[in-house]
């Protein structure tokens, strides 16, 4: 596939090419959709461990005495009460309550004990989010003593890897100086990378991911990224590690019932329709869209995000119509064959009266009517024992 020459490239771009990555244009970045097969890469992460390059994700850093308040007035989730190393899933909403992006915000200290926050945003929304932040960071804020905020887009300065799967602790523990077994989910820490490839540099490691499996996300400097990536590959081979592309990440997140921006999330969808009301703290700090979300929360929702389990293996793709009898009631937002479950699954928005688990529906897949039923989300839940 011939890709535009001006696509953004991650620090691992040459490695992907030399190891057979099938490259595609994803949100303006050249990224591998797969190396071998999507199913093999998917199953490796479910059963052992895999590594994916997610350096395209936006990384935005905030520091200064006003950073916590600024983020509290930007995000739907509380920030000021976060503990050191804590990470929260949050949203950025517009004034009407529509979702501009879904993000992770983490709270850390640098080597001098100074606090800073890292916001991880979707690659497709990075430019939009940066512009939104700049609009809400007026110059006069910096002129108020004690309210200074230093905002830096560090996306290109860092690389980011997702190491996911039940053997991820076993793989990564020899490489970092923090106890990964004791690290709770949605927690992170600055860590020293214990490998010559790291050149005595450190990084940020967090117990987060987008696969439904246990795992970690590791951010390191772009300059040392290829060496650290190869060190993980080499250590992981005896454990069954494989590199994974965008395709496996998509089937994994779909099985885990995780929404994807541009599919389940958009500025025309509000958090309560998407089932993300838990990420909206509507008291305390004001943020764009808070008043609209208060009104929306007080009213019955008109549509709801649901899971669909199809009877056959034919995948339902985004845009396929969903019917109750002869009445069209919605459209599929994401759909795929599920390697773990051995059947086709999808997510869709339907009116609440059709959202109960077990409701029988029909999905039109290229003119074929395929029986489906509403299924509980997530489709797959890992054993946490």
């Amino acid at each position: 596939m011939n890709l535009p020459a001006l696509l953004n490239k991650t620090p691992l771009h040459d490695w992907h090419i030399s190891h057979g990555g099938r490259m595609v244009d994803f949100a303006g970045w050249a990224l591998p959709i797969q190396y071998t097969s999507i199913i093999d890469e998917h199953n490796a992460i479910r059963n052992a461990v895999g590594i994916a390059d997610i350096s395209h994700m936006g990384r935005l850093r905030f520091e200064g005495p006003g950073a916590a308040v600024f983020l509290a007035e930007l995000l739907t989730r509380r920030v000021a009460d976060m503990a050191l190393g804590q990470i929260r899933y949050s949203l950025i909403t517009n004034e009407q309550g529509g979702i501009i992006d879904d993000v992770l915000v983490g709270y850390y200290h640098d080597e001098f004990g100074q606090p800073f926050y890292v916001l991880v945003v979707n690659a497709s929304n990075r430019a939009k989010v940066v512009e939104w932040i700049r609009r809400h960071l007026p110059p006069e804020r910096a002129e108020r003593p004690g309210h200074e905020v230093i905002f830096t887009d560090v996306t290109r300065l860092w690389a980011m890897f997702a190491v996911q799967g039940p053997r991820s602790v076993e793989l990564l523990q020899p490489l970092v100086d923090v106890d990964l077994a004791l690290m709770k989910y949605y927690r992170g820490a600055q860590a020293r990378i214990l490998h010559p490839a790291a050149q005595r540099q450190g990084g940020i490691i967090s117990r987060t991911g987008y696969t439904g499996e246990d795992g970690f996300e590791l951010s390191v400097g772009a300059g040392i990224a290829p060496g650290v990536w190869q060190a993980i590959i080499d250590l992981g081979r005896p454990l069954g590690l494989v590199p994974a592309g965008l395709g496996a990440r998509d089937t994994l997140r779909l099985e885990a019932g995780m929404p994807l921006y541009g599919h389940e999330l958009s500025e025309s969808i509000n958090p309560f329709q998407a089932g993300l009301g838990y990420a909206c703290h509507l008291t305390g700090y004001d943020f764009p869209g808070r008043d609209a979300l208060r009104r929306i929360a007080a009213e019955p929702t008109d549509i709801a995000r649901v899971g669909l389990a199809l009877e056959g293996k034919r995948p339902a793709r985004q845009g396929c119509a969903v019917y109750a009898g002869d009445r069209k009631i919605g459209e599929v937002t994401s759909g795929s064959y599920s390697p773990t479950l051995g059947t086709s699954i999808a997510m869709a928005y339907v009116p609440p009266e059709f959202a109960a688990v077990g409701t029988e529906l029909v999905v039109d897949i290229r003119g074929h009517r395929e029986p489906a039923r509403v299924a509980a989300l997530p489709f797959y839940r890992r054993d946490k024992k």
Side-chain angles (χ1 to χ4, degrees), residues 53-297:
D53 181 8
I54 56 172
S55 304
H56 60 296
M57 300 291 289
R59 272 69 46 80
L60 311 177
R61 178 168 170 147
F62 301 82
E63 50 198 314
V69 171
F70 174 74
L71 288 171
E73 294 175 345
L74 180 82
L75 306 177
T76 62
R77 201 82 180 266
R78 290 193 304 269
V79 174
D81 63 344
M82 290 176 65
L84 181 63
Q86 187 172 4
I87 299 163
R88 280 182 177 158
Y89 177 81
S90 185
L91 305 170
I92 302 174
T93 51
N94 60 28
E95 296 292 354
Q96 295 73 43
I99 300 172
I100 291 175
D101 201 13
D102 64 329
V103 304
L104 290 182
V105 56
Y107 174 52
Y108 306 98
H109 281 179
D110 65 18
E111 60 270 31
F112 304 108
Q114 297 300 310
F116 68 95
Y117 296 85
V118 175
L119 200 66
V120 179
V121 306
N122 284 291
S124 59
N125 291 330
R126 180 170 65 95
K128 177 177 68 171
V129 170
V130 167
E131 176 59 27
W132 185 258
I133 288 168
R134 287 175 175 157
R135 284 173 53 190
H136 290 84
L137 190 66
E140 60 265 27
R141 182 180 292 272
E143 298 171 4
R144 297 166 58 197
H147 292 265
E148 295 85 356
V149 179
I150 301 171
F151 163 55
T152 312
D153 182 348
V154 297
T155 302
R156 291 187 174 278
L157 300 178
W158 296 355
M160 194 173 184
F161 314 147
V163 179
Q164 303 282 295
R167 304 192 77 173
S168 56
V169 172
E170 184 181 356
L171 167 58
L172 288 177
Q173 186 59 80
L175 282 172
V176 296
D177 65 349
V178 296
D179 192 331
L180 298 181
L182 294 180
M183 182 180 286
K184 296 180 180 179
Y185 198 52
Y186 271 67
R187 293 293 190 275
Q190 292 201 103
R192 187 66 58 187
I193 310 300
L194 306 177
H195 191 277
Q199 302 172 23
R200 298 183 177 274
Q201 295 183 38
I204 294 177
I205 189 166
S206 61
R207 202 162 196 167
T208 51
Y210 196 51
T211 63
E213 285 300 333
D214 191 14
F216 300 85
E217 292 173 325
L218 175 64
S219 293
V220 298
I224 65 170
V228 175
W229 171 277
Q230 188 62 55
I232 295 172
I233 293 285
D234 293 341
L235 285 172
R237 284 196 186 101
L239 305 180
L241 176 137
V242 301
L246 294 169
R249 280 177 55 78
D250 193 50
T251 54
L252 289 158
R253 72 92 192 169
L254 180 58
E255 289 183 350
M258 295 177 170
L260 175 63
Y261 202 92
H263 291 254
E264 289 72 41
L265 306 180
S266 73
E267 292 196 48
S268 63
I269 295 292
N270 69 62
F272 298 97
Q273 294 169 327
L276 301 176
Y278 71 89
C280 297
H281 294 159
L282 303 181
T283 59
Y285 288 99
D286 194 4
F287 56 83
R290 188 191 69 172
D291 291 344
L293 290 176
R294 282 177 169 174
R295 293 192 297 271
I296 293 168

Side-chain angles (χ1 to χ4, degrees), residues 39 42-43 46 213 251-252 255 337-343 380:
I39 290 178
H42 176 112
N43 288 335
R46 283 279 179 257
E213 285 300 333
T251 54
L252 289 158
E255 289 183 350
Y337 173 75
S338 164
T340 304
L341 304 177
T343 188
Y380 166 86

